[in-house]
Amino acid sequence: MALNPQITNLVIILGMMQVSKKIPFDDPQVLLAVRILYIVTNIVISGIYWYLQNKINAKKDLTTLKYVEPAPMGSADEPKLITTTVHSYDLQQLRALWKSQLMGVGMMGVMHLYFKYTNPLLIQSIIPLKGAFEGNLVKIHLFGNPAIGDLKRPWKAAGGLMGMGGQGEPKADKKSIEQAERAGSGGVKEE
């Protein structure tokens, strides 16, 4: 049984916080080395995502994918039927990964350059790289795992704080899709 990624992230963060207390960040050489480590890990992540994009576009899997996307929590909206292709779904998921990575770099830039925090550089050199290798797209397109079980599309949205996501998981069962089609909630093919 594998450990929950959120638990391992917490263990890494707590461990790296203890390690970072012992690192002399006031030494310019050490600070430069940690900055280089942060930049290199982000270059590696960008390389992985670029490779995934090329792999997805090379496969161009046009298999139709239908699922019901739940309404956002607290919303009066109906669940929406989504009809797309595996290719489009994977590219949409990859765009979300890019966006998340860029947000992390932006936040780290503000924290480090504006507020002069140095400890998070070390932690943010490890956690995003770990997260990139744990992603479903990487497991399928980089490691070659079959898209069955937990890797079957559509994927569950990653839980937010303490595993509480903003909405339920997408449903791809026949009954949910038929209900959404009868309700007339969506069904327009997303490109």
Side-chain angles (χ1 to χ4, degrees):
M1 182 178 108
L3 282 175
N4 183 338
Q6 292 175 332
I7 301 295
T8 56
N9 284 352
L10 186 62
V11 169
I12 289 171
I13 289 170
L14 293 174
M16 292 312 293
M17 284 172 61
Q18 296 305 313
V19 169
S20 68
K21 287 180 183 177
K22 302 196 182 334
I23 296 176
F25 284 111
D26 49 346
D27 180 359
Q29 297 287 39
V30 172
L31 185 58
L32 179 64
V34 173
R35 285 176 177 161
I36 290 172
L37 176 66
Y38 179 73
I39 290 168
V40 166
T41 57
N42 278 288
I43 290 171
V44 168
I45 292 169
S46 296
I48 291 168
Y49 291 168
W50 177 79
Y51 178 77
L52 286 178
Q53 185 170 355
N54 288 338
K55 262 309 242 215
I56 292 167
N57 287 330
K59 280 186 183 177
K60 200 153 186 125
D61 187 352
L62 298 177
T63 306
T64 300
L65 177 65
K66 278 186 171 185
Y67 62 96
V68 178
E69 190 174 86
M73 189 180 273
S75 170
D77 295 341
E78 293 284 321
K80 191 168 88 175
L81 176 65
I82 305 292
T83 303
T84 186
T85 63
V86 169
H87 177 255
S88 296
Y89 183 80
D90 285 357
L91 286 177
Q92 175 189 6
Q93 296 298 313
L94 185 61
R95 272 191 297 277
L97 290 174
W98 273 113
K99 184 178 174 185
S100 173
Q101 186 63 25
L102 291 174
M103 288 289 290
V105 168
M107 287 173 54
M108 193 65 243
V110 168
M111 287 176 64
H112 181 65
L113 300 174
Y114 185 73
F115 293 115
K116 307 292 185 212
Y117 290 132
T118 52
N119 293 11
L121 274 178
L122 193 59
I123 296 167
Q124 289 301 311
S125 297
I126 298 167
I127 297 292
L129 189 62
K130 176 185 169 287
F133 282 109
E134 289 174 342
N136 290 333
L137 283 174
V138 171
K139 288 177 184 175
I140 291 172
H141 295 289
L142 188 65
F143 298 142
N145 295 340
I148 56 175
D150 285 345
L151 297 179
K152 187 172 177 2
R153 295 170 187 93
W155 300 310
K156 296 177 186 175
L161 184 65
M162 303 302 276
M164 297 183 302
Q167 59 186 36
E169 63 184 74
K171 294 179 182 158
D173 61 288
K174 205 172 191 176
K175 182 181 176 190
S176 298
I177 291 171
E178 286 174 359
Q179 272 183 332
E181 283 175 340
R182 273 182 280 164
S185 55
V188 177
K189 188 169 183 175
E190 288 187 355
E191 294 295 329

